[in-house]
């Protein structure tokens, strides 16, 4: 069902860009110690995991998995905050880095993308096999949220008791158009620059052979990057084919696990109209829409010196019902 979110923005942070930028600013010095683990993948590549603590196969406490956004990592402000909130509940948190996002380049030309679910599936099987006694939940932020919707729709009988999808680009094409407008182009430049840097590292490592360096240097938009790199490297015809086959919006109806989706209408990364253009939702899904919140911001509180991170309260609250 669709419902209005209970989130109320801080009086001093009602602008969507302030919500988006302030979240990163306030968390810039926040740290959380993690235990790193490398998970070898069937195709010869690897992904790195970051655990809030070391656990063994007898663990019977809830495990909450976290998926980060585009070019994110365990050091992303929302990831650090969520892992801390999970730990504070007495649960175990584990963040799955997408390929090449942990600070180490992956071994193959193949990259992660908004519709790549095979690594999440293998990671989930790993959790099921090694920690069978623990109940499990999963949360995905931004790109990770779209990947999560695809995974949940494809793997209906999965290991998770509940899932949360936060600020996800559920309609990829319209989101690329939205982030290419107005002030949002600042975020786009930041993301595109990181994507180009990662791609250049692969070119220098001789993992990518069909990407023209001069053309890459002139890429300014996410759509152009996806057309030149993401689509061909990952077997899509072009960017439009990638967006059509990878967007999570049209497969939400196939999800049977209890799922909470949180979306802000003023998100400067997403097209509100297209993201919420959904006719039916599964009975066990709640789609919360907030007029404000920015992109993975959702900062509340009356004191500018003591901001409250609403997502770190709302997501564990939802999971508590099932864990």
């Amino acid at each position: 069902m669709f419902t209005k979110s209970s989130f109320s923005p801080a009086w001093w942070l009602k602008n969507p860009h302030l919500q988006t930028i302030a979240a990163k600013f306030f968390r810039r010095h926040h740290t959380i110690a993690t235990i790193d683990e490398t998970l070898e993948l069937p195709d010869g590549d690897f992904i790195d995991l970051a655990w809030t603590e070391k656990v063994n196969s007898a663990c019977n406490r809830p495990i909450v998995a976290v998926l980060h956004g585009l070019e994110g990592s365990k050091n992303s402000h929302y990831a650090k905050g969520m892992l801390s909130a999970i730990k504070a509940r007495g649960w175990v948190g584990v963040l799955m880095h997408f390929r090449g996002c942990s600070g180490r380049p992956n071994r193959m030309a193949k990259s992660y993308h908004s519709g790549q679910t095979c690594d999440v599936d293998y990671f989930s099987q790993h959790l099921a096999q090694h920690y069978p006694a623990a109940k499990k939940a999963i949360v995905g932020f931004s790109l990770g949220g779209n990947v999560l919707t695809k995974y949940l729709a494809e793997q209906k009988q999965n290991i998770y008791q509940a899932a949360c999808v936060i600020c996800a680009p559920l309609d990829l094409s319209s989101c690329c158009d939205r982030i290419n407008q107005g002030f949002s182009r600042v975020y786009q430049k930041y993301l595109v620059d990181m994507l180009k840097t990662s791609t250049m590292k692969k070119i220098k490592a001789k993992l990518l052979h069909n990407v023209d360096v001069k053309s890459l240097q002139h890429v300014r938009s996410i759509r152009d990057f996806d057309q030149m790199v993401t689509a061909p490297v990952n077997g899509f015809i072009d960017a439009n084919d990638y967006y059509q086959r990878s967007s999570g919006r049209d497969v939400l109806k196939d999800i049977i696990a209890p799922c909470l989706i949180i979306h802000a209408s003023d998100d400067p990364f997403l097209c509100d109209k297209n993201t919420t253009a959904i006719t039916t939702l599964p009975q066990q899904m709640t789609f919360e829409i907030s007029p404000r919140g920015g992109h993975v911001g959702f900062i509340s509180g009356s004191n500018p010196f003591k901001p409250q991170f609403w997502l770190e309260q709302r997501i564990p609250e939802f999971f508590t019902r099932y864990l």
Side-chain angles (χ1 to χ4, degrees), residues 217-266:
Q217 291 172 343
H218 288 93
V219 167
R220 296 291 180 267
S221 71
I222 290 178
R223 183 180 291 275
D224 287 345
F225 180 85
D226 288 339
Q227 178 72 21
M228 180 180 295
V229 181
T230 310
V233 167
N234 293 287
F236 298 100
I237 298 171
D238 53 22
N240 288 333
D241 180 48
Y242 163 49
Y243 298 152
Q244 182 178 3
R245 291 166 57 187
S246 299
S247 293
R249 185 189 65 186
D250 295 334
V251 299
L252 291 176
K253 64 183 184 301
D254 298 324
I255 295 174
I256 63 175
C259 184
L260 171 66
I261 297 177
I262 296 177
H263 166 75
S265 296
D266 68 352

Side-chain angles (χ1 to χ4, degrees), residues 120-188:
V120 177
D121 185 35
Y122 190 77
F123 161 68
S124 300
Q125 293 177 38
H126 174 78
L127 293 183
Q129 179 181 353
H130 289 82
Y131 312 101
K135 290 185 176 180
K136 301 170 187 71
I138 186 168
V139 53
F141 292 92
S142 196
L143 174 144
N146 188 82
V147 174
L148 179 55
T149 63
K150 294 284 290 183
Y151 165 76
L152 294 172
E154 293 169 3
Q155 305 295 334
K156 296 180 179 61
Q157 301 297 331
N158 57 72
I159 69 167
Y160 300 106
Q161 273 69 51
C164 284
V165 173
I166 312 300
C167 298
L170 297 174
D171 183 68
L172 292 167
S173 182
S174 66
C175 292
C176 283
D177 293 338
R178 175 65 185 90
I179 204 171
N180 196 34
Q181 298 172 5
F183 186 82
S184 294
R185 290 177 180 171
V186 174
Y187 309 123
Q188 178 174 244

Side-chain angles (χ1 to χ4, degrees), residues 19-322:
Q19 279 280 343
T20 302
I21 296 169
K24 184 172 183 176
F25 173 79
F26 284 123
R27 285 295 196 199
R28 68 193 188 282
H29 297 309
H30 180 78
T31 60
I32 178 170
T34 57
I35 306 297
D36 297 333
E37 176 187 0
T38 297
L39 187 60
E40 295 291 335
L41 301 173
D43 64 2
D45 215 332
F46 71 94
I47 51 175
D48 284 326
L49 313 180
W51 293 83
T52 54
E53 61 184 276
K54 188 174 183 178
V55 291
N56 58 38
S57 59
C59 175
N60 60 4
R61 285 184 293 145
I63 295 176
V64 180
V66 179
L67 304 178
H68 60 78
L70 183 65
E71 291 298 281
S73 71
K74 67 179 182 180
N75 296 315
S76 298
H77 67 86
Y78 53 85
K80 292 186 292 185
M82 186 51 54
L83 289 173
S84 295
I86 291 166
K87 188 174 182 178
R89 292 268 175 158
W91 302 339
V92 178
V94 54
L95 179 138
M96 188 201 93
H97 286 101
F98 291 111
R99 300 186 187 211
C101 289
S102 63
R104 298 194 297 157
N106 60 305
R107 301 171 186 143
M108 305 176 70
K110 182 180 179 181
S111 65
Y112 73 98
H113 59 78
S114 293
Q116 189 205 49
T117 59
C118 58
D119 292 350
V120 177
D121 185 35
Y122 190 77
F123 161 68
S124 300
Q125 293 177 38
H126 174 78
L127 293 183
Q129 179 181 353
H130 289 82
Y131 312 101
K135 290 185 176 180
K136 301 170 187 71
I138 186 168
V139 53
F141 292 92
S142 196
L143 174 144
N146 188 82
V147 174
L148 179 55
T149 63
K150 294 284 290 183
Y151 165 76
L152 294 172
E154 293 169 3
Q155 305 295 334
K156 296 180 179 61
Q157 301 297 331
N158 57 72
I159 69 167
Y160 300 106
Q161 273 69 51
C164 284
V165 173
I166 312 300
C167 298
L170 297 174
D171 183 68
L172 292 167
S173 182
S174 66
C175 292
C176 283
D177 293 338
R178 175 65 185 90
I179 204 171
N180 196 34
Q181 298 172 5
F183 186 82
S184 294
R185 290 177 180 171
V186 174
Y187 309 123
Q188 178 174 244
K189 183 181 185 306
Y190 174 74
L191 292 170
V192 169
D193 285 350
M194 286 197 295
L195 289 168
K196 288 160 67 174
T197 298
S198 298
T199 303
M200 282 302 302
K201 289 180 180 178
K202 284 194 173 186
I203 293 173
K204 291 178 181 178
K206 301 187 185 305
L207 292 174
L208 286 177
H209 305 285
N210 298 320
V211 177
D212 182 73
V213 173
K214 289 185 178 179
S215 298
L216 178 66
Q217 291 172 343
H218 288 93
V219 167
R220 296 291 180 267
S221 71
I222 290 178
R223 183 180 291 275
D224 287 345
F225 180 85
D226 288 339
Q227 178 72 21
M228 180 180 295
V229 181
T230 310
V233 167
N234 293 287
F236 298 100
I237 298 171
D238 53 22
N240 288 333
D241 180 48
Y242 163 49
Y243 298 152
Q244 182 178 3
R245 291 166 57 187
S246 299
S247 293
R249 185 189 65 186
D250 295 334
V251 299
L252 291 176
K253 64 183 184 301
D254 298 324
I255 295 174
I256 63 175
C259 184
L260 171 66
I261 297 177
I262 296 177
H263 166 75
S265 296
D266 68 352
D267 191 321
F269 284 48
L270 312 181
C271 173
D272 178 55
K273 179 180 178 181
N274 289 71
T275 300
T276 58
I278 305 164
T279 54
T280 58
L281 290 173
Q283 184 177 359
Q284 69 284 356
M285 181 177 290
T286 300
F287 199 122
E288 285 188 0
I289 301 176
S290 172
R292 302 181 188 275
H295 189 69
V296 199
F298 291 93
I299 299 174
S300 59
S302 58
N303 187 341
F305 297 100
K306 295 181 179 180
Q308 296 176 15
F309 299 91
W310 179 79
L311 289 173
E312 294 165 23
Q313 302 167 10
R314 179 67 184 103
I315 296 170
E317 175 188 77
F318 175 76
F319 283 155
T320 296
R321 305 179 202 172
Y322 305 96

